[in-house]
């Protein structure tokens, strides 16, 4: 009887180990498979696409006090995939790891004010540009920072992994060589950077013009802030995806063109930016 029970327990242990091993292999294989094939048919059958985002990036994608996820890119992504009868599932990610999450198969798209850069284009494929943006310097008026040159010896903030942080490194003569320590303080979110700006722990921050305008307009005293345009190149927002997802790229580009033509894109632009949105698709 004891030998029989030992055999039963041994079999059960081996079964559990085998299942765990297979599960682990399955998870890895799913990620590898997603990174080597065109995934459109799989996503279409599944009925939803997973979009990775930084859920503190006002107004592109952020959570209201109730926890509800809203934003410009949230509305736009849903509108595009509604054309194909596909729902959108939004996944909050560490923004500095967005390309890794994409290639691991954790998410299907990066859609969150994602600026096109040569470095990023090595890792992901981009959709057509749907919005243009500038990197601006935000400061408090009482700090008397009214130009990039006025940041001499002062402390600068930026979001880790952001295109603004990349611009600081790529064009050192504009800001990097002027600021204290010749290096910005990097934050996990712009929200935390604004907290330090208001507390004078930093005297300026490089931030997307789309975020800066929206955030400041919703502050109790918008006049306390100054937005300074520098000479960083104008940025183009696109949807990031795996390079193998050629059908996805075609479908998104086609969807964006449809929304531009039927007036939906203009409505979403006005909802979030008033008359200040710069959408190349509406200029064609």
């Amino acid at each position: 009887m004891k030998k029989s029970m030992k055999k039963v327990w041994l079999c059960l242990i081996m079964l559990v180990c085998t299942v765990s091993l297979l599960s682990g292999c399955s998870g890895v294989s799913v990620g590898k498979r997603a990174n080597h094939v065109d995934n459109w048919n799989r996503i279409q059958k599944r009925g939803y696409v997973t979009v990775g985002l930084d859920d503190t990036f006002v107004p592109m994608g952020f959570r209201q006090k109730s926890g509800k996820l809203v934003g410009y890119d949230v509305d736009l992504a849903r509108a595009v995939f509604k054309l194909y009868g596909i729902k959108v599932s939004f996944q909050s990610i560490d923004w500095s790891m967005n390309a890794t999450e994409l290639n691991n198969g954790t998410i299907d798209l990066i859609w969150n004010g994602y600026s096109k850069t040569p470095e990023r284009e090595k890792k992901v494929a981009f959709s057509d540009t749907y919005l243009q943006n500038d990197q601006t310097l935000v400061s408090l008026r009482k700090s008397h920072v009214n130009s990039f040159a006025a940041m001499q010896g002062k402390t600068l903030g930026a979001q880790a992994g952001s295109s603004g942080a990349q611009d600081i490194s790529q064009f050192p003569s504009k800001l990097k060589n002027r600021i204290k320590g010749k290096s910005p303080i990097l934050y996990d979110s712009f929200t935390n950077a604004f907290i330090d700006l208001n507390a004078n722990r930093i005297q300026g921050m490089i931030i997307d013009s789309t975020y800066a305008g929206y955030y400041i307009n919703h502050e109790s005293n918008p006049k306390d802030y100054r937005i300074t345009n520098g000479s960083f190149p104008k940025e183009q927002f696109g949807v990031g995806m795996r390079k193998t997802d050629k059908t996805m790229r075609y479908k998104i580009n086609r969807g964006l063109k449809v929304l531009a033509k039927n007036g939906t894109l203009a409505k979403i632009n006005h909802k979030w930016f008033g008359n200040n949105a710069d959408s190349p698709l509406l200029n064609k």
Side-chain angles (χ1 to χ4, degrees), residues 248-276:
M248 177 87 79
R249 187 172 185 272
Y250 169 79
K251 295 288 186 180
I252 290 176
N253 286 340
R254 176 180 173 275
L256 290 170
K257 289 182 176 68
V258 170
L259 298 183
K261 189 174 182 179
N262 67 18
T264 301
L265 179 59
K267 289 180 181 178
I268 295 174
N269 284 353
H270 191 269
K271 173 183 176 180
W272 291 103
F273 303 116
N275 297 321
N276 296 321

Side-chain angles (χ1 to χ4, degrees), residues 4-14:
S4 298
M5 287 301 294
K6 285 182 179 179
K7 287 182 179 180
V8 171
W9 280 110
L10 182 61
C11 289
L12 286 172
I13 292 170
M14 291 177 66

Side-chain angles (χ1 to χ4, degrees), residues 116 126-130 237-239 249 253 256-257 281:
K116 298 180 180 181
F126 278 99
S127 71
D128 292 340
T129 299
Y130 61 86
F237 285 168
V239 185
R249 187 172 185 272
N253 286 340
L256 290 170
K257 289 182 176 68
L281 292 171

Side-chain angles (χ1 to χ4, degrees), residues 230-255:
S231 54
F232 288 137
K234 185 177 285 291
E235 296 180 343
Q236 299 180 331
F237 285 168
V239 185
M241 64 202 81
R242 289 177 285 266
K243 293 190 175 185
T244 55
D245 280 331
K246 296 180 180 180
T247 304
M248 177 87 79
R249 187 172 185 272
Y250 169 79
K251 295 288 186 180
I252 290 176
N253 286 340
R254 176 180 173 275

Side-chain angles (χ1 to χ4, degrees), residues 49-53 73 77 81 88-93 106-112 239:
V49 63
T50 303
V51 170
L53 81 167
D73 279 331
F81 282 99
V88 183
S89 173
F90 293 95
Q91 176 68 48
S92 299
I93 60 173
T106 308
I107 58 176
D108 300 307
L109 298 169
I110 304 170
W111 197 332
N112 192 213
V239 185

Side-chain angles (χ1 to χ4, degrees), residues 136-139 156-158 190 193-194 197 202-207:
T136 57
L137 174 66
V138 174
S139 61
L156 179 73
F190 285 126
F194 262 106
L197 180 71
I202 59 175
Q203 289 72 56
M205 57 187 292
I206 287 295
I207 185 173

Side-chain angles (χ1 to χ4, degrees), residues 102-279:
L102 178 69
N103 291 320
N104 283 347
T106 308
I107 58 176
D108 300 307
L109 298 169
I110 304 170
W111 197 332
N112 192 213
Y114 194 41
S115 302
K116 298 180 180 181
T117 68
E119 187 63 29
R120 287 173 175 173
E121 286 176 341
K122 294 176 183 178
K123 301 176 182 179
V124 307
F126 278 99
S127 71
D128 292 340
T129 299
Y130 61 86
L131 193 68
Q132 294 188 138
N133 172 70
D134 292 299
Q135 287 296 326
T136 57
L137 174 66
V138 174
S139 61
L140 292 174
R141 289 188 178 276
K142 64 183 181 181
S143 298
H144 304 294
V145 174
N146 53 16
S147 67
F148 277 24
M151 282 297 296
Q152 186 71 41
K154 293 182 170 60
T155 305
L156 179 73
Q159 185 185 32
S162 69
S163 51
Q166 292 177 6
D167 281 348
I168 293 168
S169 296
Q170 189 175 355
F171 305 99
S173 62
K174 298 183 185 300
L175 268 175
K176 185 176 181 179
N177 293 343
R178 303 177 188 272
I179 59 177
K180 185 176 180 180
K182 296 189 183 300
S183 182
I185 294 178
L186 298 178
Y187 295 87
D188 59 353
S189 72
F190 285 126
T191 302
N192 290 335
F194 262 106
I195 291 173
D196 274 6
L197 180 71
N198 292 330
N200 199 39
R201 285 187 283 269
I202 59 175
Q203 289 72 56
M205 57 187 292
I206 287 295
I207 185 173
D208 300 77
S209 58
T210 52
Y211 185 111
Y214 186 93
Y215 185 98
I216 291 171
N217 287 337
H218 285 76
E219 283 290 278
S220 56
N221 296 301
K223 293 183 179 179
D224 288 348
Y225 300 88
R226 175 182 280 113
I227 297 177
T228 303
N229 293 319
S231 54
F232 288 137
K234 185 177 285 291
E235 296 180 343
Q236 299 180 331
F237 285 168
V239 185
M241 64 202 81
R242 289 177 285 266
K243 293 190 175 185
T244 55
D245 280 331
K246 296 180 180 180
T247 304
M248 177 87 79
R249 187 172 185 272
Y250 169 79
K251 295 288 186 180
I252 290 176
N253 286 340
R254 176 180 173 275
L256 290 170
K257 289 182 176 68
V258 170
L259 298 183
K261 189 174 182 179
N262 67 18
T264 301
L265 179 59
K267 289 180 181 178
I268 295 174
N269 284 353
H270 191 269
K271 173 183 176 180
W272 291 103
F273 303 116
N275 297 321
N276 296 321
D278 182 3
S279 290

